[in-house]
Amino acid sequence: MDAHQGTHPFIGQEDSSTLPDRTILHNTSDLRVKRKRKAEERMRKEMERFDRERRKEEERLMREQQREDERLLRERRRESERREKYLQKESIKVEKKRQKEELR
């Protein structure tokens, strides 16, 4: 306790941004606004980064799906060509057999 004033020496000095009549200094208000803006800017940038990463991943998945679709299409086409070739050979065999039978 301060003998001259009869109070604790630190009362009224707990917040340097306030004046004795409890008004807030303008600089502190500006600092709070700047901090808030910086925090919002950081959040906005982070959301943009998340969006970029999400779009990049979506594009990667789309390319992967397209490659898989193309692979399946090629595989079906090859299988169809193999079947067609087999059927042609079988048709030729049947025709030769028929001709042989006719010659007998």
Side-chain angles (χ1 to χ4, degrees), residues 25-37:
L25 293 176
H26 190 64
N27 289 349
T28 304
S29 178
D30 286 347
L31 285 175
R32 286 186 187 132
V33 169
K34 286 178 184 177
R35 281 190 205 124
K36 185 176 178 183
R37 282 188 194 138

Side-chain angles (χ1 to χ4, degrees), residues 10-96:
F10 296 109
I11 291 179
Q13 296 180 7
E14 63 274 344
D15 187 345
S16 63
S17 67
T18 59
L19 296 174
D21 64 351
R22 295 283 182 206
T23 58
I24 297 174
L25 293 176
H26 190 64
N27 289 349
T28 304
S29 178
D30 286 347
L31 285 175
R32 286 186 187 132
V33 169
K34 286 178 184 177
R35 281 190 205 124
K36 185 176 178 183
R37 282 188 194 138
K38 283 184 181 180
E40 289 171 353
E41 181 69 15
R42 275 194 302 272
M43 186 177 289
R44 184 184 63 78
K45 285 182 178 180
E46 187 149 334
M47 292 302 291
E48 288 173 353
R49 183 176 61 84
F50 285 147
D51 284 345
R52 281 192 307 273
E53 290 173 358
R54 180 185 49 78
R55 282 192 303 272
K56 191 175 180 179
E57 180 64 12
E58 286 173 353
E59 289 169 0
R60 185 190 68 76
L61 289 171
M62 282 177 49
R63 285 192 305 272
E64 189 176 299
Q65 182 64 46
Q66 186 176 1
R67 281 193 297 269
E68 181 65 12
D69 291 346
E70 290 169 353
R71 185 189 66 78
L72 289 172
L73 187 62
R74 283 192 307 273
E75 192 175 299
R76 288 183 194 133
R77 193 178 307 126
R78 283 188 207 118
E79 184 60 30
S80 177
E81 289 170 357
R82 280 192 289 268
R83 261 189 245 131
E84 182 66 30
K85 194 173 182 179
Y86 173 79
L87 290 173
Q88 284 175 352
K89 284 183 179 181
E90 288 299 306
S91 176
I92 290 171
K93 282 181 185 179
V94 168
E95 181 61 26
K96 283 182 179 180

